[in-house]
Amino acid sequence: MIIVTGANGQLGRMVAERLLEAVPAEQIGVSVRDVAAARDLGARGVRVRRGDFADPDTLPHAFESASKVLIVSTSTTGEAAVRGHRTAVAAAAAAGAERILYTSHMGASPSSRFAPMPDHAATEEALRQSGVPFTSLRNGFYVSSAVELVRGALETGVLAVPEDGPVAWTAHADLADAAVLALTGEVLDGLSPALTGPEVIDMAGIAEILTRLTGRPIRRVVVSDDEYRARLVTHGVPEPSAEMLVGLFAASRDGDFAPVGPTLADVLGRPVVGVEDYLKSAVMTPR
């Protein structure tokens, strides 16, 4: 049985849906914190069980009979995230999984200034120490995050964010398809190469694309990290979240998200979604 954790989240749900097209439903299990929210998957024959990385006693039942387990990284950061991921890795190994897969990030590094990246690096070390064959899917930066960063600019015409660097933006759908292929085939062993879209684009490039798509000028303005942080907090963003977003720009300046390569397209056997096509579908409204 293939177990997918976090199947109520965006990536986990996409993987579960695509698995249903690849293998019989009775060979799929999902481990979720909210069983009721996954009731629709249960109605289609998927085994739905409660599993919570913060409650280790739930995981043996959730992972029972696992041949492969996909651990979808949590939305938390820091010690809690690493502890939860390590707990899930240990539970998958104890359940007898033949392979453990994990949704990591292309920027995974103990020294990254973007808070989730050291967490990913620590989880990859836990995978190495598990004694079980593993695949760490080093996913490109979600292009949906770019949409969130530019929402205000679509209203004001000004994209005011800190100095940044190029980012290999990548669509959830492509990464979900790659995860399914890794779960059902013989691709992507160990630490994967960066699984990215076909190009790197910085915030100035994003502003140019939005200007072209909307027909309205979107001006990119550089603000200091401190100014950006203060503005976020003023608009109600919790300070830890604001600090994490500042770290995102700092890490992009360091080049953490700049590597781009052909691996994702090669694995999929087709072109991957480009930034402009994604933005066109995500931000354009009917005229």
Side-chain angles (χ1 to χ4, degrees):
M1 178 166 283
I2 297 172
I3 306 298
V4 177
T5 76
N8 287 331
Q10 186 174 0
L11 183 62
R13 176 53 66 101
M14 283 188 178
V15 172
E17 294 281 355
R18 284 159 168 73
L19 271 176
L20 280 166
E21 300 171 3
V23 299
E26 60 267 21
Q27 295 178 16
I28 305 169
V30 296
S31 168
V32 293
R33 287 180 294 177
D34 183 355
V35 171
R39 189 177 293 120
D40 60 313
L41 291 173
R44 297 164 66 184
V46 174
R47 191 184 80 183
V48 178
R49 291 184 177 177
R50 180 175 179 269
D52 186 343
F53 298 172
D55 185 359
D57 291 342
T58 65
L59 297 182
H61 184 60
F63 292 177
E64 184 181 7
S65 302
S67 58
K68 296 178 181 178
V69 176
L70 174 65
I71 298 172
V72 177
S73 55
T74 67
S75 58
T76 58
T77 58
E79 181 181 348
V82 174
R83 182 171 59 249
H85 294 158
R86 286 174 174 162
T87 296
V89 168
E98 298 165 4
R99 178 171 292 274
I100 304 171
L101 299 91
Y102 171 70
T103 59
S104 187
H105 198 286
M106 64 180 298
S109 168
S111 61
S112 176
R113 292 197 279 174
F114 185 41
M117 300 302 101
D119 302 342
H120 287 307
T123 302
E124 290 179 341
E125 182 58 32
L127 289 166
R128 280 188 284 261
Q129 294 178 3
S130 72
V132 178
F134 72 90
T135 298
S136 185
L137 299 163
R138 287 192 151 182
N139 291 339
F141 213 107
Y142 297 147
V143 67
S144 58
S145 299
V147 175
E148 295 306 313
L149 291 171
V150 303
R151 284 200 185 280
L154 293 172
E155 298 177 3
T156 66
V158 178
L159 178 55
V161 292
E163 179 186 352
D164 67 313
V167 175
W169 304 105
T170 313
H172 274 84
D174 287 334
L175 296 170
D177 284 342
V180 169
L181 291 170
L183 285 165
T184 59
E186 302 296 328
V187 299
L188 301 174
D189 180 53
L191 299 178
S192 80
L195 302 174
T196 72
E199 56 193 339
V200 290
I201 301 178
D202 60 12
M203 285 289 108
I206 295 289
E208 290 175 4
I209 291 172
L210 293 174
T211 295
R212 187 163 56 248
L213 290 177
T214 65
R216 302 189 305 273
I218 305 292
R219 184 165 56 95
R220 197 273 193 252
V221 173
V222 176
V223 299
S224 70
D225 289 357
D226 289 343
E227 181 181 345
Y228 185 65
R229 183 190 298 107
R231 185 173 354 117
L232 290 173
V233 172
T234 298
H235 284 83
V237 177
E239 288 192 16
S241 299
E243 189 62 38
M244 185 170 69
L245 285 170
V246 169
L248 186 162
F249 286 97
S252 74
R253 293 195 294 267
D254 295 339
D256 288 8
F257 316 126
V260 66
T263 300
L264 181 57
D266 288 347
V267 167
L268 298 179
R270 60 168 174 78
V272 298
V273 176
V275 173
E276 184 158 347
D277 287 338
Y278 185 93
L279 291 176
K280 185 175 183 179
S281 64
V283 308
M284 292 296 289
T285 55
R287 292 178 181 269

